[in-house]
Amino acid sequence: DAGITQSPRYKITETGRQVTLMCHQTWSHSYMFWYRQDLGHGLRLIYYSAAADITDKGEVPDGYVVSRSKTENFPLTLESATRSQTSVYFCASSESRGWYGYTFGSGTRLTVV
Amino acid sequence: AQKVTQAQTEISVVEKEDVTLDCVYETRDTTYYLFWYKQPPSGELVFLIRRNSFDEQNEISGRYSWNFQKSTSSFNFTITASQVVDSAVYFCAPAGDNFNKFYFGSGTKLNVKP
């Protein structure tokens, strides 16, 4: 099906482990984004990408790594997970420059224990 | 960068009441864009409306209307005759001229009781 999919939906990992959250979109949108959502903070931008092989930091990039070797995929890696990274992570994509708004994935709920 | 304040953390209304969600933003851009998103209890984020900074005409779309006032940097969203299905968290999100980055407010949780 066309759309934007995130996997896994739920993940529990231990402190210090590396974990990768996947995001795949089928629209060939140029722009892709990763946000985290925490109570009281709304959504905060972690990283974004304007095209394949072009990425840039958002508001809260520390502890995260992204890559975009293909237009349709934008994985987010936590190199050494910490409890403060327990959150709900949303991936989003947009065509052009976001004028039509973002389309969000369903989110990944990550718990670091 | 943009900043946005949604001072109302949570609002509770009874069905059929009108409710206005407030949004105040800060920006240094002369041209910018304003969006509202809805997040129902199921968790997905749904795009609702957008405005340009150079278009202050307010609009009504069904039960939704919005009031954009550049002079006070406010972009308020009103639901008329609220319904239980309107219960959700609503986010205001300004974006600058290079609007590939959205900055979301902390959200307002709306509870509509039957």
Side-chain angles (χ1 to χ4, degrees):
Chain A
D1 287 342
I4 182 166
T5 55
Q6 292 183 236
S7 60
R9 286 298 307 274
Y10 303 93
K11 176 75 177 178
I12 300 175
T13 191
E14 295 178 342
T15 301
R17 289 197 178 261
Q18 183 181 82
V19 60
T20 296
L21 309 183
M22 304 302 293
C23 180
H24 175 79
Q25 53 106 353
T26 59
W27 294 298
S28 298
H29 283 171
S30 297
Y31 286 84
M32 296 189 74
F33 312 83
W34 275 106
Y35 284 85
R36 60 177 290 173
Q37 183 175 25
D38 305 291
L39 195 63
H41 289 281
L43 289 100
R44 292 181 290 176
L45 181 64
I46 305 171
Y47 269 97
Y48 69 100
S49 169
D53 297 322
I54 300 175
T55 62
D56 205 352
K57 297 177 181 179
E59 302 170 80
V60 289
D62 294 342
Y64 302 95
V65 174
V66 293
S67 61
R68 193 154 177 223
S69 56
K70 293 183 178 181
T71 299
E72 61 267 29
N73 296 323
F74 191 39
L76 176 73
T77 298
L78 288 67
E79 294 185 296
S80 179
T82 65
R83 289 200 177 97
S84 65
Q85 292 177 309
T86 293
S87 186
V88 179
Y89 291 85
F90 285 97
C91 178
S93 71
S94 72
E95 60 178 281
S96 70
R97 291 184 134 198
W99 167 236
Y100 297 102
Y102 291 1
T103 301
F104 284 86
S106 300
T108 294
R109 184 176 293 276
L110 176 68
T111 302
V112 183
V113 297
Chain B
Q2 283 67 38
K3 287 187 178 180
V4 57
T5 301
Q6 293 181 255
Q8 304 151 305
T9 305
E10 188 165 352
I11 302 173
S12 292
V13 299
V14 177
E15 205 170 19
K16 298 185 182 179
E17 286 185 16
D18 299 346
V19 57
T20 296
L21 309 181
D22 298 333
C23 173
V24 175
Y25 59 90
E26 296 177 30
T27 180
R28 295 179 183 173
D29 293 319
T30 53
T31 301
Y32 51 91
Y33 306 85
L34 298 160
F35 295 75
W36 275 96
Y37 279 81
K38 173 183 178 180
Q39 186 177 38
S42 53
E44 73 272 24
L45 285 148
V46 180
F47 164 70
L48 291 177
I49 56 174
R50 65 171 176 265
R51 298 302 297 173
N52 303 324
S53 60
F54 46 86
D55 180 3
E56 290 192 68
Q57 183 177 5
N58 297 311
E59 290 189 23
I60 298 174
S61 176
R63 296 187 299 110
Y64 297 159
S65 62
W66 42 96
N67 186 331
F68 174 38
Q69 293 194 346
K70 206 168 181 178
S71 60
T72 57
S73 297
S74 66
F75 184 47
N76 299 334
F77 177 62
T78 297
I79 302 174
T80 303
S82 60
Q83 300 175 1
V84 173
V85 295
D86 295 327
S87 295
V89 180
Y90 291 81
F91 292 97
C92 178
D97 188 22
N98 185 18
F99 57 92
N100 55 359
K101 288 191 286 186
F102 282 49
Y103 294 91
F104 287 83
S106 55
T108 296
K109 184 177 182 182
L110 174 64
N111 302 305
V112 181
K113 301 176 182 178

